Amino acid sequence: MIKQDLPSLLRANPYPGRGIVLGSSPGASAAVIAYWIMGRSENSRNRVFEATEDGIRTRAFDESRMTDPSLIIYRPVRLVGRRVVVTNGDQTDTIRDFLLAGKTFAQALRTRTFEPDAPNCTPRISGLLEQDGTYTLSILKAGCSGMCDRQFFEYACCADTGHFISTYQGDGDPLPSFAGEPVPVSIGCDRAEELAGALWESLNEANKVSLFVQYIDLETGFPETVIINKLGGRTVSAPRTSIWKEK
């Protein structure tokens, strides 16, 4: 497996859209999560990430400028027992509900399809991180004759290795959907702050909106979390308490 340099990939792409990275730190001591959003319209750019009890949510930075909350206001990251769900839309809640009911990640996503925003038909990308550092990524995208293609990819916990998936291949009209398998990448950073800084600097300045990075110590469950908002600044937290809840 040839791992690519994630910041270099992002610098070469003006519009990957929303992106998910799951993986492990260089020493394999921490699970790694990264999620970001980008926007071309004023409505999409008028957003920030806000911490919640079980993850993060998107919200309007200036409520008076919000014109359409559909598809852009949701909970991208939610802790479900001893798993973390990461997605680019309200399928986060679908997955959470299915997991709490004893069903699976795949079963949840078989009830969903790509976003109703033709002609882009934006894919729904989703990830599930397990307590042991293994993870699954999925993409739901427009296929033949407008049908939904559902793809799932499962990965082991491997030092200094992650996988990256985004909604788009780049800018365009309509926007070209992500193609192929999630890209293997080197994490390259021992701390969440270091990775967050590298990713934020690599995202296109005009289009980047918000970034979330979290490292979870695989032994203790202690998290280190960084949130960067173009309109709201940066927050860092590293509580000495376990993130894992009882199932």
Side-chain angles (χ1 to χ4, degrees):
M1 177 184 65
I2 299 176
K3 294 184 288 187
Q4 299 195 45
D5 180 69
L6 182 57
S8 295
L9 287 176
L10 296 179
R11 283 193 294 270
N13 186 347
Y15 203 68
R18 287 162 276 177
I20 296 173
V21 179
L22 296 179
S24 300
S25 63
S29 61
V32 175
I33 303 168
Y35 178 70
W36 64 81
I37 58 175
M38 305 181 80
R40 300 189 301 176
S41 69
E42 181 181 1
N43 197 46
S44 292
R45 291 175 176 178
N46 178 37
R47 290 184 293 169
V48 293
F49 284 164
E50 181 176 76
T52 65
E53 182 180 354
D54 63 351
I56 59 171
R57 67 173 184 171
T58 63
R59 68 168 178 83
F61 178 72
D62 183 346
E63 295 286 351
S64 68
R65 291 167 47 208
M66 177 62 68
T67 58
D68 180 7
S70 66
L71 301 180
I72 64 171
I73 300 299
Y74 56 94
R75 296 183 179 216
V77 180
R78 297 197 75 175
L79 179 65
V80 184
R82 299 191 176 195
R83 296 164 155 177
V84 182
V85 179
V86 188
T87 90
N88 71 322
D90 64 10
Q91 73 268 28
T92 308
D93 298 334
T94 302
I95 296 167
R96 175 182 181 273
D97 292 346
F98 270 64
L99 294 179
L100 290 176
K103 299 180 181 179
T104 68
F105 178 75
Q107 284 176 311
L109 289 171
R110 289 190 187 108
T111 70
R112 302 302 302 267
T113 184
F114 49 85
E115 294 184 355
D117 64 342
N120 294 317
C121 299
T122 297
R124 290 189 188 272
I125 55 174
S126 307
L128 179 66
L129 174 69
E130 303 286 353
Q131 186 182 4
D132 64 0
T134 59
Y135 53 95
T136 304
L137 289 167
S138 170
I139 184 167
L140 313 182
K141 59 191 296 186
C144 180
S145 301
M147 302 299 288
C148 182
D149 290 343
R150 297 179 175 88
Q151 299 175 316
F152 299 88
F153 307 89
E154 297 181 347
Y155 298 101
C157 176
C158 185
D160 194 31
T161 301
H163 288 84
F164 155 65
I165 194 168
S166 60
T167 50
Y168 309 123
Q169 289 288 96
D171 211 344
D173 190 14
L175 289 159
S177 293
F178 183 91
E181 297 184 11
V183 180
V185 295
S186 173
I187 297 301
C189 299
D190 290 310
R191 298 289 305 276
E193 277 196 86
E194 184 184 356
L195 181 61
L199 296 184
W200 187 250
E201 290 302 315
S202 302
L203 291 168
N204 180 268
E205 180 64 29
N207 295 320
K208 64 186 180 184
V209 174
S210 295
L211 170 70
F212 168 90
V213 174
Q214 186 171 73
Y215 278 38
I216 304 171
D217 188 288
L218 289 173
E219 181 177 350
T220 66
F222 293 173
E224 179 190 3
T225 306
V226 180
I227 296 174
I228 304 176
N229 292 306
K230 191 171 185 179
L231 295 177
R234 178 189 303 236
T235 61
V236 180
S237 64
R240 304 293 290 176
T241 56
S242 178
I243 192 175
W244 303 125
K245 298 181 179 180
E246 292 302 320
K247 293 183 180 179

